[in-house]
Amino acid sequence: MPTRRRRDRAGLLSTSVAGDSRHPERAAVAALSDSFVAGLLEWIRIPSIGVDPGHHADVRRSAEWLAGRLRADGWPEVEVWDDGPALPAVFACWPAADPQAPTVLVYGHHDVQPVDPVERWQHPPFEPVISGDEVLGRGASDDKGQVAMHLLAVKAHLEATGQNAPSVTVKLFIEGEEESGSPHLRKLLEDHGNALGCDLVVFTDTSLHERDAPTVNTGQRGVLGGEIMFFGGTDDVHSGRAGGAIPNPATALAKLVAALHDDEGRIQVDGFYDDVREPTAREREDYAALPFDEASWLANNGGGARKTFGEPGYSTFERLWVRPTAEVNGLHSGYTGPGLKTIIPASATAKISFRLVPDQRPEKVREQLEQFVAKHTPDGIRAEVSFRGTGVPPYAISPDQPANATVREALELAFDQPVRFARAGGSGPAAVLQALLGVPLVYLGATLPDDRVHAPNERVVVPLLLKGAEAAAHLWRMLAQAEIAKRLTDEPV
């Protein structure tokens, strides 16, 4: 295939295809790449930190920026939903010329994480810079880059097909609270259910396995987090006057934490694995075929850990993607300052979180943890268990689901190589979207696990975003094909 390399006005290398009628989407993406990068840089400059009330005005400004860009691109229906307690979300719709064509809803978010510790950034986080083929700045990967990628995809699709409207009705729903746990997402979906009605959800907040090993994500783990507190007396007491004569809540809590796993990492909460859905043989084959270098993975993802560890019988990817976890996120009790203070602390606290897999439910795991704590609370200790919210359910879709298979085919066209299925170890609102909208949800993103999201020096690889835009442009054309459209709308959720 004849290709030519060029350096665009932003200084980024991109690839365009000359004289190949099979890739009009690729040529259209390449032609639009300059304005795409310029727009992304402009959007990143808005510090839309949703978790910080001091930046809520910036979240509104970010929503208005996105709405303005959509109107400039020709989207006929654009709204900023700024009603009630939720931070502003953006909705847009571009109807297909054919009223019988499927309707696809693209989900993403425009709020970003805080930038602390700011001194670790190599450049100001909201003054994005270009380094080689990367854009660096807060939100470049998570999730402004991928939302902008889908805007580019619609433009490229129209350019490639010569149409005035997309082949499928495309809707966008870009919320402003994902980094806060989407606390008002259910209400937004309920209040705007008619506008959001669709046949398929495409979830953008996802990544590829590696730059040279593209994947389609088929699920995310759920999460439930909370605290366990043990109380002894009402005050810290002198260990010389009461030590050995009263229970120590720190010791008692340490024993509970130690009892949470066996020596091989299996979780010892009664009934915890009862509802766990095993991956299919096909999924395990795909995971095993993905490249994995333990030393490299530990260096980039393990926080300096010296070796991998986990439940026997499962690979590292399987432990990350399809097995549940129970993690102690923090322990605190008594005196932790310099020197020595000989006390028996009045209380001890453990912060704990679970990552859940299909078909586990947060409410059931909550009950199981409460029973586990009751079982491991000794006489003379009072226990309290509290939870942060109701938790996030897990989500997974079969690799054989028609829309999912079509996403993989679209990515293979864009990347010119085989694409395998994978899952994500983190959590997001996919299950909520799928349950309340009642349609299948698939993933299409083009970022990388080592993009340093939620950390200093976040980056995104622009050529991958361009590949993602090309894949989405292919997808809109492919989903409109009669056989795929029928299978999509007839397939049970």
Side-chain angles (χ1 to χ4, degrees):
M1 183 184 304
T3 63
R4 56 187 176 87
R5 298 288 287 180
R6 67 181 182 85
R7 185 172 294 274
D8 61 26
R9 289 192 300 272
L12 296 170
L13 282 173
S14 59
T15 303
S16 62
V17 175
D20 191 339
S21 61
R22 296 175 300 169
H23 290 80
E25 289 86 358
R26 185 172 303 174
V29 166
L32 295 164
S33 61
D34 290 358
S35 60
F36 165 74
V37 172
L40 179 58
L41 295 174
E42 185 178 325
W43 198 13
I44 292 171
R45 293 187 183 102
I46 302 174
S48 51
I49 305 173
V51 300
D52 183 351
H55 283 280
H56 285 184
D58 293 315
V59 178
R60 288 182 172 82
R61 190 155 59 94
S62 172
E64 293 292 351
W65 184 95
L66 176 57
R69 177 51 59 101
L70 289 163
R71 294 185 184 106
D73 285 352
W75 287 70
E77 302 175 34
V78 180
E79 301 175 6
V80 176
W81 291 345
D82 193 7
D83 46 355
L87 291 173
V90 178
F91 170 79
C93 177
W94 199 325
D98 179 4
Q100 301 302 313
T103 297
V104 182
L105 175 71
V106 176
Y107 165 86
H109 65 91
H110 66 97
D111 61 318
V112 301
Q113 277 280 318
V115 297
D116 306 283
V118 70
E119 65 273 10
R120 296 285 300 277
W121 286 78
Q122 298 173 2
H123 57 86
F126 294 110
E127 295 178 18
V129 298
I130 294 170
S131 176
D133 61 2
E134 301 175 359
V135 167
L136 288 77
R138 176 58 88 224
S141 177
D142 184 21
D143 188 33
K144 289 179 178 177
Q146 301 202 98
V147 173
M149 176 189 82
H150 279 278
L151 270 61
L152 172 60
V154 172
K155 294 172 70 174
H157 168 68
L158 296 176
E159 178 70 22
T161 59
Q163 300 171 172
N164 295 321
S167 299
V168 295
T169 293
V170 181
K171 296 181 178 181
L172 293 179
F173 172 51
I174 312 301
E175 70 158 315
E177 296 187 319
E178 194 275 342
E179 300 293 6
S180 306
S182 303
H184 302 102
L185 179 59
R186 288 180 181 272
K187 189 174 190 312
L188 279 171
L189 296 174
E190 292 166 353
D191 290 349
H192 299 281
N194 290 335
L196 296 170
C198 58
D199 300 302
L200 177 72
V201 175
V202 173
F203 194 96
T204 71
D205 194 5
T206 185
S207 64
L208 308 168
H209 178 67
E210 287 184 8
R211 185 166 183 162
D212 297 322
T215 50
V216 174
N217 185 17
T218 61
Q220 293 173 292
R221 293 191 290 190
V223 66
L224 176 68
E227 288 187 348
I228 304 168
M229 294 191 70
F230 272 9
F231 298 92
T234 57
D235 300 292
D236 295 348
V237 296
H238 193 300
S239 65
R241 295 180 178 177
I246 63 172
N248 186 316
T251 302
L253 188 61
K255 290 181 178 179
L256 180 147
V257 168
L260 191 58
H261 300 85
D262 67 13
D263 291 342
E264 294 186 303
R266 297 183 188 88
I267 298 161
Q268 299 301 291
V269 175
D270 290 342
F272 185 75
Y273 292 103
D274 289 354
D275 299 325
V276 170
R277 186 196 309 174
E278 293 286 342
T280 65
R282 177 184 178 183
E283 287 175 307
R284 298 191 78 169
E285 289 173 2
D286 266 10
Y287 306 160
L290 292 171
F292 177 71
D293 178 86
E294 180 172 318
S296 175
W297 184 88
L298 287 170
N300 291 316
N301 301 278
R306 288 171 288 186
K307 63 172 294 184
T308 58
F309 170 80
E311 190 180 359
Y314 296 92
S315 69
T316 297
F317 291 152
E318 289 169 343
R319 293 167 183 165
L320 289 170
W321 299 340
V322 300
R323 300 303 292 171
T325 69
E327 299 292 351
V328 178
N329 310 126
L331 287 168
H332 175 79
S333 182
Y335 181 70
T336 59
L340 183 66
K341 187 178 183 182
T342 54
I343 61 168
I344 296 173
S347 64
T349 302
K351 291 184 180 291
I352 191 168
S353 64
F354 296 91
R355 295 288 176 174
L356 310 178
V357 300
D359 295 298
Q360 291 181 299
R361 310 307 301 170
E363 59 272 17
K364 184 171 181 180
V365 173
R366 174 176 178 152
E367 294 175 358
Q368 292 170 340
L369 177 62
E370 290 172 337
Q371 293 168 4
F372 177 84
V373 172
K375 179 180 177 181
H376 290 84
T377 302
D379 290 342
I381 296 291
R382 178 174 62 87
E384 289 185 7
V385 184
S386 61
F387 296 90
R388 186 180 183 275
T390 58
V392 176
Y395 175 76
I397 187 170
S398 169
D400 297 321
Q401 203 278 342
N404 215 24
T406 307
V407 170
R408 184 174 73 166
E409 184 179 350
L411 276 169
E412 289 180 336
L413 286 173
F415 279 87
D416 295 316
Q417 67 183 92
V419 171
R420 297 189 178 275
F421 290 107
R423 290 199 204 173
S427 305
V432 175
L433 286 159
Q434 189 278 317
L436 290 183
L437 295 176
V439 298
L441 180 148
V442 295
Y443 296 84
L444 176 54
T447 59
L448 294 173
D450 58 354
D451 277 348
R452 300 184 292 273
V453 300
H454 295 206
N457 305 307
E458 180 179 349
R459 65 88 190 261
V460 74
V461 179
V462 173
L464 292 182
L465 289 183
L466 300 182
K467 289 292 188 184
E470 180 190 339
H474 288 307
L475 184 64
W476 306 145
R477 168 178 50 79
M478 296 163 69
L479 288 176
Q481 296 170 4
E483 181 180 354
I484 293 175
K486 184 177 188 305
R487 292 178 66 195
L488 171 62
T489 54
D490 290 348
E491 187 81 5
V493 177

